[in-house]
Amino acid sequence: MLSEKMWNALNEQIKWEFESSYLYLGMAAWLNDNAYPGFAHWMREQAKEEQGHAMKIYGYVEERGNRVELLPIAAPKKTWESPHEVIEQSLKHEEMVTGLINRLVDLSQEEKDHATFAFLQWFVKEQVEEEDTFRKVLDELKLVKPTCSAMLFIDRHMGKRSGD
Ligand code: FEO
């Protein structure tokens, strides 16, 4: 069984992962509505990944013999200025999630919960990958203006993302 503190923190992280998914779906909806179908597809794929993260923790909590407690998730904002802003805010969001994962790791050490510590290592590595993915897209976008025709090519490229 998980300690009360660890259980609460993991439930909270399940919420954050679903909230990330919700945020990226919201971004996908805005992108699609603003004629960026490739970026919208890319964000929907990212949203699926976040659901996968949430379910990974969900499964782990159950595996430890605890019941999952789902918490309310906040609605994302509805509009953004450009794909640039979407990706910039996504990167900031991922950096925030990295901080949350690091806090979970700290807690697992404080609680001497070696199993949870080992479980969380996957997320530590995943966050490095997540930040890197968003940073690379942002670097590419920094090379072009939001109104430039190169955006069309980037959008087509983003539309090729397949499920990971
Ligand atoms: Fe599940 Fe993108 O962090």
Side-chain angles (χ1 to χ4, degrees):
M1 295 279 281
L2 295 161
S3 71
E4 176 93 12
K5 265 193 194 169
M6 201 71 248
W7 176 69
N8 280 328
L10 288 170
N11 281 322
E12 188 74 23
Q13 191 61 32
I14 291 172
K15 177 204 86 107
W16 277 113
E17 298 296 343
F18 277 124
E19 201 161 298
S20 302
S21 180
Y22 220 41
L23 170 66
Y24 295 145
L25 276 179
M27 288 170 164
W30 180 84
L31 288 159
N32 194 58
D33 199 41
N34 283 271
Y36 292 107
F39 276 96
H41 165 81
W42 196 92
M43 273 299 175
R44 280 195 303 271
E45 288 299 317
Q46 186 61 36
K48 276 192 229 164
E49 263 204 31
E50 300 302 344
Q51 286 169 35
H53 295 169
M55 292 312 294
K56 207 176 180 74
I57 305 170
Y58 186 114
Y60 175 73
V61 170
E62 288 192 336
E63 210 179 349
R64 291 294 304 273
N66 294 84
R67 190 178 62 82
V68 169
E69 194 169 278
L70 294 176
L71 304 168
I73 55 175
K77 65 182 225 173
K78 293 184 181 73
T79 57
W80 287 266
E81 290 293 316
S82 61
H84 292 59
E85 197 200 5
V86 166
I87 301 295
E88 213 164 55
Q89 289 192 2
S90 301
L91 176 58
K92 279 203 185 105
H93 182 80
E94 287 301 329
E95 287 166 350
M96 187 273 293
V97 172
T98 300
L100 294 172
I101 297 291
N102 289 341
R103 279 204 343 237
L104 280 176
V105 174
D106 290 344
L107 183 63
S108 70
Q109 286 179 313
E110 285 160 27
E111 297 289 293
K112 299 190 190 323
D113 185 342
H114 303 295
T116 302
F117 178 82
F119 168 74
L120 289 170
Q121 297 313 299
W122 184 89
F123 284 89
V124 171
K125 285 189 221 131
E126 177 70 3
Q127 280 310 119
V128 172
E129 218 179 272
E130 295 269 277
E131 283 189 28
D132 182 54
T133 304
F134 278 106
R135 203 175 294 115
K136 278 183 177 141
V137 177
L138 189 59
D139 286 347
E140 207 168 298
L141 283 177
K142 278 181 184 163
L143 298 173
V144 299
K145 287 195 167 66
T147 49
C148 166
S149 60
M151 282 301 287
L152 200 62
F153 291 99
I154 297 177
D155 188 63
R156 295 299 174 270
H157 176 68
M158 297 290 277
K160 293 195 171 89
R161 179 177 182 172
S162 56
D164 303 297

